[in-house]
Amino acid sequence: TRTVGVYMIPLGDSRYEARFVESFDRRGPWLQRLKGEIRAGQFRFMDDISFDGGRVVGAAENGVILNAALWLGKLGNDGVSGTVAGRHKGSFQLKQSGRISPELGKPAVRGAVVLFNGTSLSQWQHCEAGKEVKWKVLPEGVMEVNGGNIVSREVFGDHRLHLEFKLPYMPAAFGQGRANSGVYLQGRYEVQVLDSYGLEGADNECGGIYQVARPRVNMCAPPLQWQSYDIEFRQAKLDGDGRKAANARITVNHNGVMIHDNIELPNVTGGALTDKEGRPGGLMLQDHGNPVQFRNIWVQRLD
């Protein structure tokens, strides 16, 4: 008997990819990867034969996959139970588990600037001068991406940020087209927002800092589940001549787990409002064409 974690990644039309890992709180490697469907209460999956260390572990003869494992099961109230046949033999049981951020609903600390309290977009402006903010404020007290990037009217130097976000369910989209947005500290340094549940945890996936650093571990939750970022940011330092003397630094906690620990930001990231570092700037939220939602956004100044 062996206990492992399994990411169930939706692919649309009741199809899924199942990725087996030793533990959810550390990076790979994948122990097993299956593809199949959950339909009419039945769980039917088979080895992804294009995987397994880059080797093809199965072959086809007359349309039948040889040397593969077939996982068959039935959905019940407590998960899935079934059997494995083929190159692996045995039985299995899947039980649903959840990783809910302990930081959800975190109240603003004394003296913090509340950028969104669930009712008004008055703290925000469009990133293009003269344009109106068209993001939606929904009845449940959340704001939804719409009509372009927005930036806070308040600007910040060294600060702590708390922000909560929810990814839309987009099973037919992949890569950068799947629930994409971004959180830009000072409008310059992006912490990625993306539906990368169960993926590698690259620098362009959720929690990554584009072309700078990938998260220590992929803490991205499934779509439609609220998540949190708690970020401490120290701006770049300038010398007496206004030249950069020290890089900006950032610590990021995603869903209560530290994924970046006081790392340096050697330069601004793609899509920044400006490349002039070491000066206060507003918090920018990106519109990448997907209806990502945000709530409970506040900033505590540290300077």
Side-chain angles (χ1 to χ4, degrees):
T1 301
R2 185 178 183 184
T3 301
V4 298
V6 183
Y7 289 102
M8 297 297 297
I9 303 173
L11 304 177
D13 192 28
S14 301
R15 296 178 298 110
Y16 293 83
E17 179 178 319
R19 294 190 176 191
F20 290 61
V21 292
E22 286 281 5
S23 172
F24 288 129
D25 61 358
R26 68 187 191 200
R27 197 175 278 281
W30 312 121
L31 306 175
Q32 183 90 5
R33 195 164 83 171
L34 311 176
K35 286 186 178 178
E37 63 180 16
I38 301 175
R39 196 183 300 273
Q42 300 298 312
F43 180 99
R44 184 181 178 87
F45 281 71
M46 185 173 285
D47 287 336
D48 179 2
I49 63 170
S50 64
F51 189 63
D52 198 2
R55 298 181 298 110
V56 173
V57 299
E61 183 177 291
N62 297 325
V64 177
I65 296 178
L66 308 176
N67 194 30
L70 180 64
W71 297 59
L72 297 176
K74 186 176 182 180
L75 271 67
N77 293 331
D78 58 350
V80 179
S81 297
T83 58
V84 185
R87 74 184 182 99
H88 297 309
K89 293 179 173 62
S91 60
F92 70 94
Q93 186 174 29
L94 300 180
K95 293 186 176 180
Q96 186 176 10
S97 62
R99 294 188 299 169
I100 306 300
S101 171
E103 305 297 336
L104 295 182
K106 188 174 183 177
V109 299
R110 184 177 179 180
V113 178
V114 177
L115 295 180
F116 182 66
N117 63 4
T119 62
S120 171
L121 294 172
S122 61
Q123 291 279 359
W124 301 88
Q125 58 189 347
H126 202 286
C127 286
E128 296 183 38
K131 285 195 174 182
E132 179 185 356
V133 174
K134 294 186 177 181
W135 283 39
K136 303 173 184 177
V137 177
L138 304 181
E140 54 268 36
V142 305
M143 55 195 280
E144 184 175 277
V145 171
N146 184 63
N149 301 343
I150 60 174
V151 63
S152 65
R153 296 182 183 277
E154 294 263 5
V155 296
F156 307 98
D158 296 348
H159 64 275
R160 291 192 183 102
L161 165 70
H162 175 83
L163 171 148
E164 299 171 16
F165 63 95
K166 184 168 71 171
L167 306 173
Y169 183 61
M170 303 178 66
F174 297 95
Q176 297 298 296
R178 189 161 168 146
N180 194 332
S181 183
V183 175
Y184 282 76
L185 288 304
Q186 292 191 330
R188 300 184 180 102
Y189 314 94
E190 182 186 16
V191 181
Q192 296 275 334
V193 173
L194 189 80
D195 180 4
S196 50
Y197 174 70
L199 303 186
E200 299 288 345
D203 62 64
N204 64 346
E205 295 178 355
C206 205
I209 300 172
Y210 185 58
Q211 294 186 335
V212 174
R214 65 179 189 170
R216 287 176 162 185
V217 62
N218 181 2
M219 282 302 300
C220 186
L224 303 181
Q225 178 177 313
W226 282 102
Q227 309 187 49
S228 66
Y229 278 157
D230 286 275
I231 299 172
E232 182 169 315
F233 174 81
R234 301 286 178 171
Q235 71 177 4
K237 307 303 180 188
L238 305 179
D239 64 18
D241 296 321
R243 293 174 298 202
K244 187 168 72 168
N247 289 325
R249 307 189 73 93
I250 191 171
T251 296
V252 181
N253 285 267
H254 184 187
N255 292 330
V257 174
M258 184 182 290
I259 60 171
H260 298 292
D261 184 8
N262 194 33
I263 66 169
E264 287 193 62
L265 301 173
N267 45 255
V268 302
T269 58
L273 288 176
T274 174
D275 62 358
K276 296 185 183 299
E277 300 181 85
R279 301 163 177 82
L283 175 69
M284 185 176 83
L285 301 180
Q286 184 186 52
D287 177 357
H288 206 278
N290 302 144
V292 176
Q293 296 178 355
F294 295 90
R295 71 180 187 189
N296 193 19
I297 306 172
W298 50 267
V299 175
Q300 177 189 20
R301 288 191 169 90
L302 298 177
D303 39 11

